[in-house]
Amino acid sequence: MAATILIVEDEPAIQELVSYNLRNAGYVILCAGSAEQAKDMVNDVLPDLVLLDWMLPNVSGIEFARMLRQGARTRAIPIIMLTARVEESDKVTGLEIGADDYITKPFSPRELIARIKAVLRRRLPEVSDEVVEVGGLKLDPTTHRVTVNDDGENQSKSSEIALGPTEFRLLHFLMTHTERVHTRGQLLDRVWGDHVFVEDRTVDVHIRRLRRALEEVGKDELVQTVRGTGYRFSTRCEVGVE
């Protein structure tokens, strides 16, 4: 579940340097040399994060960031400004327009990757490769394994849960957004992708499969149905949920 990063940079040398290092770090990379080209790419594939140069031809990076923040489909995309503008007022402008971080040139690839990881960890934890532990379940995105601590005296013993790829992604998303209720449409966008055209009831099918797998280890109650709304992952049992 590697994160997709869109690099919007009109200087070929910088674009190549950044894309090379980010690919080596395991990210899926898209590149655009202008805001117009980037807009077309976003319409085709919604990236997990945008690295955005300020000084772009025709439409500036600031204007493009404003466009992203105004769109219902794109307003939640994390944005990191990547620019030679070092004045405090410029940084304030970038952050006020909705950028999540602001990196000035020149920069080191290590710093850039660290900043990207920090933003993704904060804004999109489901695309992180960090191990998640909630309610006795342990999910490791790197090894694609989900384990549960066995009840009883031997708490160090664990059982692995067999999940299909979609159920794994669904559980990963729910475990990184605990106590929040998500509609079927929201789950389709975040787990399947907003350009995958399937029926909302597809979510119900995979929720049932996920619960069956969790039921075998007594953890199916963690995935709750909130009547008339959607689903959530919770360690609390409340009225109005199934």
Side-chain angles (χ1 to χ4, degrees), residues 98-116:
D100 295 88
D101 204 348
Y102 190 105
I103 303 176
T104 56
K105 303 173 183 177
F107 56 88
S108 73
R110 290 182 61 187
E111 178 191 5
L112 177 60
I113 292 170
R115 298 280 194 97
I116 289 171

Side-chain angles (χ1 to χ4, degrees), residues 166-174 187 191 206-207 210:
T166 301
E167 286 72 40
F168 184 89
R169 293 196 305 272
L170 182 58
L171 180 61
H172 192 190
F173 178 80
L174 291 172
L187 289 173
V191 177
H206 289 279
I207 286 287
L210 176 58

Side-chain angles (χ1 to χ4, degrees), residues 2-10 15 18-19 22-23 27-53 56 64-65 68 73-74 77-82 112 116 120 124:
T4 298
I5 298 177
L6 171 60
I7 303 169
V8 189
E9 169 62 64
D10 65 327
Q15 186 185 106
V18 173
S19 61
L22 294 187
R23 283 194 181 95
Y27 297 108
V28 177
I29 302 302
L30 303 173
C31 293
S34 67
E36 294 90 341
Q37 186 182 7
K39 183 179 178 181
D40 291 339
M41 288 184 171
V42 170
N43 287 336
D44 291 335
V45 178
L46 201 64
D48 295 305
L49 183 142
V50 174
L51 274 179
L52 182 58
D53 185 25
L56 294 172
F64 183 62
L68 292 177
R73 178 172 167 265
T74 58
I77 300 175
I79 299 172
I80 297 179
M81 298 296 298
L82 197 61
L112 177 60
I116 289 171
L120 289 175
L124 297 171

Side-chain angles (χ1 to χ4, degrees), residues 126-213:
E126 72 272 15
V127 302
S128 169
D129 59 1
E130 293 187 350
V131 173
V132 186
E133 294 188 65
V134 186
L137 294 179
K138 180 178 180 180
L139 184 148
D140 189 335
T142 303
T143 62
H144 209 275
R145 287 176 175 166
V146 179
T147 55
V148 59
N149 291 331
D150 287 340
D151 295 328
E153 296 180 358
N154 187 7
Q155 295 295 321
S156 62
K157 185 179 179 181
S158 63
S159 300
E160 185 170 344
I161 304 170
L163 294 176
T166 301
E167 286 72 40
F168 184 89
R169 293 196 305 272
L170 182 58
L171 180 61
H172 192 190
F173 178 80
L174 291 172
M175 287 180 66
T176 52
H177 298 81
T178 59
E179 308 301 335
R180 302 181 189 177
V181 181
H182 304 279
T183 67
R184 293 178 179 88
Q186 290 170 335
L187 289 173
L188 283 173
D189 285 348
R190 298 297 295 273
V191 177
W192 278 260
D194 76 321
H195 271 63
V196 177
F197 300 104
V198 294
E199 295 182 358
D200 286 359
R201 292 296 174 182
T202 300
V203 176
D204 300 338
V205 173
H206 289 279
I207 286 287
R208 286 196 295 270
R209 291 177 183 172
L210 176 58
R211 281 182 174 148
R212 280 199 297 268

